[in-house]
Amino acid sequence: MTKRLILSLLLVLMAGGIYAQQKVALSDLNIRLMTTGYGRAKANQSIDGNPITLQGNVYKGVGTHADSKITISLDKRAKRFTSLVGVDDEATTAGSVIFRIVADEKEVYKSPVKRKGQKPEKVDVDLKGVDKVILEALSAGDGVSNDHADWAEAYFEMTEGKPVAIMDANIINMATNDFMLTLMIDNEDNLIQQYFGKKGEIDIIFDGGARSDQAYPTIQSGKQIVYWGEPALHAVHADGHTSTMMKYVSHETKRIDENVSETCIRLKDPVYPFYTDIYYKTYAVQNVIEQWTEVYHQETSPVIVKQASSSALTLRSSDYWLTQFTGDWMNEFNVDESQLTVGSKVIENRWGITSSNGRQPHFMITLGNEKPSETNGEVLAGTLAWSGNYQLKIERLPQGQLTVVSGMNPWSSDYTLPAGKKYITPSLIYTYTSEGKGQASRNLHRWALEYGIRDGQEPLRTIFNNWEATGMNTADNVIIPFLKPAKDLGFELFLLDDGWFGLPDKARVLGEWNATPKMHPNGMRMIIEAAGKAGIDFGLWVEMEMVNPEARLVKEHPEWLLLDPQRPPHLQRGQYVLDLSNPAVQEFCIQAFHKILVDNPGISFVKWDCNTPFHNPYSHYLGRNQQHLWYEYTLGLYKVFSECARLNPDLQMMVCSGGGGRCDYGSMRFFHEFWTSDNTNPMSRVFIQWGASHIFPAKTHGAHVTHMGHQSFKFAFDVAMSGCLGMDADPTKMTEEEKKITKRAVEVYKEKLRPVVQFGDLYRLVSPYETSRSVVSYVEAKDKKQSVVFIYQVKDDLNGINVKLQGLDSQKTYTIEEVNIDSPDSAICRENGNAMSGKELMEKGLYLNAKKRFDSASIFISQVK
């Protein structure tokens, strides 16, 4: 046989596994998971840090101290385990240890009592077919003093793969396609967050050793847990005690469908019949987890729930950056980024009725020293699905870990919980990625389109609104002349805004939900019929939660108002807030809303507004339980939303609250889009929509062209087409140039851009916060056949910019078409009209010759057929 043939045969045999066997040292495993009776186990050292020494001979191996234990996963790929065991020479004569090995719950080795100076015992254990093995060094029954145990020259012989040290504990794993949250029950039944991060094998879960971070923390001090940080739960029990310690009882995971699973973990206080059920709903493909908590008890009298958070997530890194969203009315969704230092950062709202007009219930945390990036870095992104008072408390400890506790704001919200009733928290919706903020946003967008918003897979119509043109003057003779021109401009729906309702002798009276004769002598029939004749759909504005003093129900039902009887009333915008904690008020709102639609057939769209927070927070219905108001109002609001949606399943709805005050996934379950801001200045909207895109898909952004800011219609339409396109104007007073631009833009939006923008994957390519321009793109999510690129010049610059695109198919060839332009000569995109491969577009990019402030372009990229 030739040497070449012999060598070839050896290579074949090795590939077949004959030579694939390997020896893996116990000291190379994650021995931080080895428990000890004293100190920490050490690789290639004794428990006291000296060389491992038995009878004067020095060895490699693991030094530990009885009682000691380590559990190792073999996955039935081990052949044997060999070692020398004994008591290290550094110990005193008091040291005495028994070594024990258990394979799949069967004892396969037990040494005699080993003492200092004795000859080490040779161990050779057959492990073929064994899934899990446990190595123990136990006290010989005479105390643990100086029980310095050595596993010398300890090796696993493997047929393939490697052994993995694991915790000897009950593990609960919630995993999506790309990340996972792993919880562990320790030996005192504490629920511990063991791992949160990129999805991997079992070794990654225990790479940092055993954790002690409570998954749902309470203030406590015990043998296993000492915690004085931010609690997720704080209650006063029936006997007046404020101490609560929640222990694991059970858990259950059910598969809802191929993509969604739900895990419920039940905890109980060992002293009281007091329970919390923590729910985790995983959306595998979208890489999102939804988490909430339910608190209940069977104590002898009510328990005061002072705080019950939705979640408490712990992160571990060398540093952290927070991305938060701030602002005010007409200035929503500013992106603020800062490094987090030791201490607490609180983001909260106490307005009661809105969640996000100023500080908003969304966050991103980037792990590591680098500033947040769109394409790189570990990111946790979360948003609280709640339309009322909320609190996000981010606490960084001196030891380095960071905890994010989220939920309803505990301020003035002590909840008196009777036995048997459940207190259910809002949900935190969150995602994790190692690919930067952009991927985190895309994960949330995909989840929202599939699960988080009403009819997320249905395209939304283009809207023409009268508000900026006429304000509250909705008279027939003012509005009807708008309808045919709006249709001729290409819009699909006409929205009649605030002002159409009231009393027979007074217009614009909230709470009187009939068309006022002052504006509409024949009711809404004339306008709706005129819209039908014009060929345009019709929609209406409402504000069901509010009432003006002139409304009849103010006299008939004063107890329905949120009004402190001991203090002078303050009426913002001259209106009271109705008490939606009261079931009778909920029913009034539901029936009044439904009656509007029944009495006025032909309404296919509603804009639901809310313009006043709680100025007089007192509920006659709640009586002595006033601190329930902030919770019960929001639950009542959701009941109203839910019933209105159920009774009108085909009705398209937009939520508005003084602009962007209800941009949250609590309300968006019942709505198709939100009014992003009352600020429709297109330059301002570049920044507002950039911020909103971090959490919400473009399909939810109401984006209308108006004359606010007196900027060019071309720029305004390029900005608005990156969301749900609409317009507020007087079509009878528009110039011919404005009409031409409008018709052109609306046509191209409907025919080409809409499906890509409303359903595509977003890529934020160039930031207006860091440069002189904003560039964003959308890519068809499924087949990547189409894309849209928008550029907005926010400051003058000397040069244009070359932009490398993302998310395309490198193998496809695409045609580049700049749209919403007068002629190809006015194109900003140098490659306009060319064909380029996806590889070229992502590696070389497009040159966009935007230099002057207000320069803009909309570029449609489609696969060559």
Side-chain angles (χ1 to χ4, degrees):
M1 186 178 291
T2 67
K3 289 183 179 180
R4 179 175 293 179
L5 182 59
I6 292 171
L7 179 60
S8 299
L9 181 59
L10 285 172
L11 290 173
V12 170
L13 291 173
M14 289 173 69
I18 291 179
Y19 289 94
Q21 298 177 5
Q22 60 175 326
K23 290 175 69 175
V24 179
L26 175 64
S27 56
D28 288 340
L29 305 188
N30 184 6
I31 61 169
R32 284 175 292 186
L33 298 179
M34 180 179 280
T35 62
T36 64
Y38 165 81
R40 286 192 174 185
K42 294 180 174 63
N44 302 316
Q45 290 182 323
S46 70
I47 192 69
D48 280 350
N50 301 309
I52 292 174
T53 309
L54 297 169
Q55 277 196 328
N57 296 314
V58 176
Y59 299 95
K60 298 292 186 181
V62 173
T64 185
H65 193 293
D67 286 335
S68 170
K69 179 179 181 180
I70 187 168
T71 303
I72 298 161
S73 173
L74 302 174
D75 199 22
K76 300 181 180 180
R77 295 184 294 185
K79 185 176 180 181
R80 64 191 330 97
F81 173 74
T82 58
S83 180
L84 297 173
V85 296
V87 175
D88 197 275
D89 287 359
E90 71 186 6
T92 70
T93 55
S96 58
V97 178
I98 296 173
F99 294 85
R100 182 171 180 259
I101 300 176
V102 176
D104 287 344
E105 302 184 357
K106 179 182 179 182
E107 182 178 281
V108 293
Y109 171 80
K110 185 176 182 180
S111 76
V113 175
K114 303 298 297 179
R115 301 185 185 275
K116 175 183 176 178
Q118 291 181 348
K119 182 180 179 180
E121 185 89 5
K122 186 179 292 187
V123 178
D124 189 344
V125 175
D126 186 344
L127 295 177
K128 289 191 290 292
V130 172
D131 185 55
K132 184 171 69 174
V133 66
I134 298 172
L135 308 183
E136 294 178 301
L138 306 172
S139 167
D142 53 357
V144 295
S145 177
N146 272 267
D147 288 354
H148 294 203
D150 292 335
W151 295 91
E153 302 300 327
Y155 292 94
F156 291 92
E157 187 176 330
M158 306 294 294
T159 57
E160 61 177 325
K162 292 184 178 181
V164 177
I166 61 174
M167 286 296 299
D168 184 25
N170 191 358
I171 298 298
I172 307 171
N173 199 42
M174 280 76 68
T176 70
N177 285 357
D178 293 341
F179 83 94
M180 60 188 185
L181 171 65
T182 304
L183 307 182
M184 175 184 75
I185 296 92
D186 69 13
N187 57 13
E188 290 191 349
D189 290 329
N190 295 303
L191 184 66
I192 303 299
Q193 181 186 309
Q194 175 61 31
Y195 177 81
F196 179 77
K198 189 174 182 179
K199 191 174 182 179
E201 298 299 327
I202 193 167
D203 56 335
I204 198 173
I205 295 174
F206 300 104
D207 184 57
R211 301 299 189 190
S212 59
D213 306 317
Q214 295 180 83
Y216 198 70
T218 60
I219 301 295
Q220 57 176 285
S221 179
K223 180 181 177 182
Q224 296 286 98
I225 302 291
V226 177
Y227 185 79
W228 302 104
E230 181 63 23
L233 180 66
H234 181 200
V236 180
H237 297 281
D239 61 5
H241 285 216
T242 61
S243 171
T244 300
M245 298 177 67
M246 305 307 296
K247 301 291 185 178
Y248 171 83
V249 175
S250 64
H251 75 277
E252 178 186 12
T253 298
K254 60 182 180 181
R255 189 86 175 261
I256 295 174
D257 56 37
E258 290 186 358
N259 186 53
V260 183
S261 295
E262 182 179 284
T263 298
C264 174
I265 304 173
R266 176 161 297 175
L267 307 180
K268 179 186 177 297
D269 191 303
V271 176
Y272 301 98
F274 182 84
Y275 303 85
T276 58
D277 290 351
I278 308 174
Y279 286 84
Y280 301 85
K281 185 178 284 187
T282 58
Y283 302 85
V285 172
Q286 293 76 23
N287 290 300
V288 163
I289 294 179
E290 178 182 359
Q291 183 178 343
W292 73 96
T293 303
E294 300 183 2
V295 179
Y296 55 100
H297 71 92
Q298 294 294 337
E299 297 190 28
T300 56
S301 58
V303 168
I304 307 300
V305 179
K306 300 186 76 68
Q307 178 172 348
S309 299
S310 304
S311 67
L313 294 170
T314 298
L315 306 176
R316 290 178 178 270
S317 178
S318 59
D319 217 334
Y320 308 91
W321 285 80
L322 171 66
T323 302
Q324 66 181 106
F325 307 91
T326 61
D328 205 340
W329 177 65
M330 299 274 287
N331 185 30
E332 295 88 347
F333 279 110
N334 293 297
V335 179
D336 292 332
E337 295 184 325
S338 59
Q339 257 178 312
L340 290 167
T341 58
V342 172
S344 294
K345 170 82 173 182
V346 179
I347 304 169
E348 62 182 349
N349 170 61
R350 298 193 188 109
W351 282 32
I353 205 167
T354 57
S355 66
S356 57
N357 202 285
R359 309 175 197 91
Q360 295 166 8
H362 331 295
F363 65 91
M364 289 185 172
I365 294 175
T366 300
L367 284 68
N369 299 317
E370 299 297 323
K371 290 187 66 175
S373 161
E374 286 293 320
T375 54
N376 297 298
E378 292 182 84
V379 177
L380 164 67
T383 176
L384 196 68
W386 187 244
S387 307
N389 289 357
Y390 70 87
Q391 184 181 85
L392 308 174
K393 195 161 189 177
I394 303 166
E395 184 174 34
R396 181 174 181 179
L397 299 180
Q399 296 84 355
Q401 65 262 47
L402 181 139
T403 301
V404 183
V405 178
S406 63
M408 186 181 155
N409 197 326
W411 171 78
S412 190
S413 294
D414 288 1
Y415 197 89
T416 303
L417 185 67
K421 182 178 180 180
K422 286 191 174 183
Y423 181 94
I424 303 175
T425 73
S427 291
L428 181 73
I429 314 297
Y430 58 93
T431 185
Y432 164 89
T433 178
S434 58
E435 300 176 10
K437 295 193 303 176
Q439 187 60 51
S441 295
R442 289 187 288 277
N443 289 348
L444 292 175
H445 295 177
R446 292 166 182 169
W447 173 85
L449 291 170
E450 192 69 33
Y451 301 100
I453 62 178
R454 186 175 171 193
D455 299 332
Q457 300 300 317
E458 296 297 322
L460 300 185
R461 292 168 287 181
T462 53
I463 299 171
F464 196 97
N465 192 339
N466 68 289
W467 175 254
E468 292 291 336
T470 72
M472 291 188 179
N473 185 357
T474 66
D476 291 346
N477 62 338
V478 172
I479 298 301
I480 289 176
F482 283 24
L483 300 175
K484 183 64 165 59
K487 171 63 177 178
D488 292 342
L489 290 171
F491 290 96
E492 296 156 311
L493 182 140
F494 184 88
L495 170 60
L496 185 66
D497 217 291
D498 191 353
W500 59 271
F501 49 89
L503 293 163
D505 59 347
K506 184 175 176 61
R508 299 183 293 275
V509 179
L510 295 168
E512 297 291 341
W513 295 111
N514 295 297
T516 175
K518 291 285 185 179
M519 296 285 178
H520 311 287
N522 299 304
M524 302 303 297
R525 179 177 55 82
M526 287 187 63
I527 290 183
I528 294 174
E529 289 180 356
K533 290 177 182 178
I536 193 167
D537 296 341
F538 185 77
L540 204 61
W541 176 100
V542 300
E543 191 173 11
M544 307 306 298
E545 301 159 67
M546 306 296 161
V547 62
N548 289 129
E550 301 89 346
R552 287 170 292 181
L553 70 79
V554 172
K555 293 182 179 179
E556 295 170 0
H557 294 286
E559 75 282 5
W560 285 8
L561 311 179
L562 287 180
L563 183 62
D564 190 334
Q566 297 181 337
R567 302 187 186 280
H570 171 65
L571 304 183
Q572 180 175 320
R573 294 169 57 101
Q575 56 195 52
Y576 295 106
V577 179
L578 289 173
D579 179 10
L580 288 186
S581 71
N582 186 335
V585 179
Q586 299 167 19
E587 190 62 22
F588 165 78
C589 291
I590 294 166
Q591 294 305 322
F593 179 82
H594 191 57
K595 186 175 185 298
I596 293 170
L597 300 175
V598 171
D599 290 351
N600 300 283
I603 296 172
S604 63
F605 180 97
V606 164
K607 177 182 178 182
W608 185 298
D609 210 343
C610 165
N611 286 298
T612 302
F614 292 1
H615 285 296
N616 307 282
Y618 179 87
S619 166
H620 294 269
Y621 172 76
L622 292 174
R624 296 182 63 85
N625 289 322
Q626 290 302 306
Q627 295 199 39
H628 292 196
L629 175 60
W630 314 97
Y631 177 72
E632 295 289 356
Y633 184 98
T634 307
L635 294 186
L637 174 70
Y638 289 159
K639 180 180 178 182
V640 172
F641 284 168
S642 177
E643 279 299 290
C644 290
R646 186 187 66 81
L647 291 169
N648 304 280
D650 299 324
L651 183 70
Q652 183 180 326
M653 296 177 70
M654 171 195 285
V655 65
C656 176
S657 184
R662 276 188 178 149
C663 299
D664 63 76
Y665 284 118
S667 61
M668 289 306 295
R669 290 174 292 163
F670 312 105
F671 291 87
H672 300 80
E673 62 178 302
F674 52 69
W675 183 234
T676 320
S677 176
D678 282 344
N679 187 345
T680 55
N681 179 311
M683 184 59 72
S684 299
R685 275 302 188 104
V686 170
F687 291 87
I688 291 169
Q689 291 169 204
W690 175 276
S693 75
H694 282 69
I695 306 297
F696 300 101
K699 184 176 184 289
T700 61
H701 304 185
H704 288 202
V705 172
T706 72
H707 286 91
M708 187 180 290
H710 303 288
Q711 294 158 21
S712 78
F713 260 33
K714 196 266 194 246
F715 180 76
F717 270 103
D718 282 339
V719 173
M721 287 193 296
S722 67
C724 284
L725 179 63
M727 187 175 196
D728 285 46
D730 184 341
T732 66
K733 296 180 180 179
M734 291 169 60
T735 67
E736 290 305 312
E737 179 66 14
E738 289 173 339
K739 290 178 182 178
K740 182 185 80 170
I741 294 171
T742 300
K743 291 183 70 172
R744 180 182 71 202
V746 173
E747 180 180 7
V748 76
Y749 181 80
K750 292 190 300 183
E751 292 185 358
K752 295 182 177 180
L753 309 190
R754 174 162 53 187
V756 186
V757 170
Q758 292 192 9
F759 303 107
D761 282 338
L762 166 73
Y763 294 86
R764 291 183 294 269
L765 303 175
V766 181
S767 169
Y769 285 90
E770 300 171 0
T771 71
S772 63
R773 48 181 68 90
S774 170
V775 184
V776 299
S777 74
Y778 299 88
V779 179
E780 185 186 43
K782 185 178 179 181
D783 298 321
K784 302 183 185 298
K785 291 181 178 180
Q786 296 178 331
S787 176
V788 183
V789 179
F790 297 100
I791 181 170
Y792 313 117
Q793 196 71 24
V794 300
K795 290 184 290 189
D796 289 343
D797 206 317
L798 295 175
N799 303 298
I801 184 174
N802 198 80
V803 178
K804 296 178 181 179
L805 305 189
Q806 297 174 25
L808 299 173
D809 185 333
S810 62
Q811 302 301 312
K812 285 184 168 63
T813 300
Y814 297 91
T815 299
I816 316 302
E817 178 189 7
E818 184 168 338
V819 296
N820 195 28
I821 52 177
D822 291 326
S823 70
D825 294 337
S826 60
I828 279 176
C829 178
R830 185 176 63 189
E831 292 79 10
N832 183 41
N834 294 350
M836 299 176 67
S837 70
K839 187 174 188 290
E840 287 179 295
L841 287 166
M842 292 188 288
E843 293 182 358
K844 296 180 181 179
L846 297 175
Y847 182 78
L848 306 176
N849 194 31
K851 300 177 183 177
K852 294 182 179 180
R853 190 169 186 243
F854 303 116
D855 280 353
S856 64
S858 302
I859 303 157
F860 181 62
I861 298 173
S862 58
Q863 181 183 356
V864 176
K865 296 181 180 180

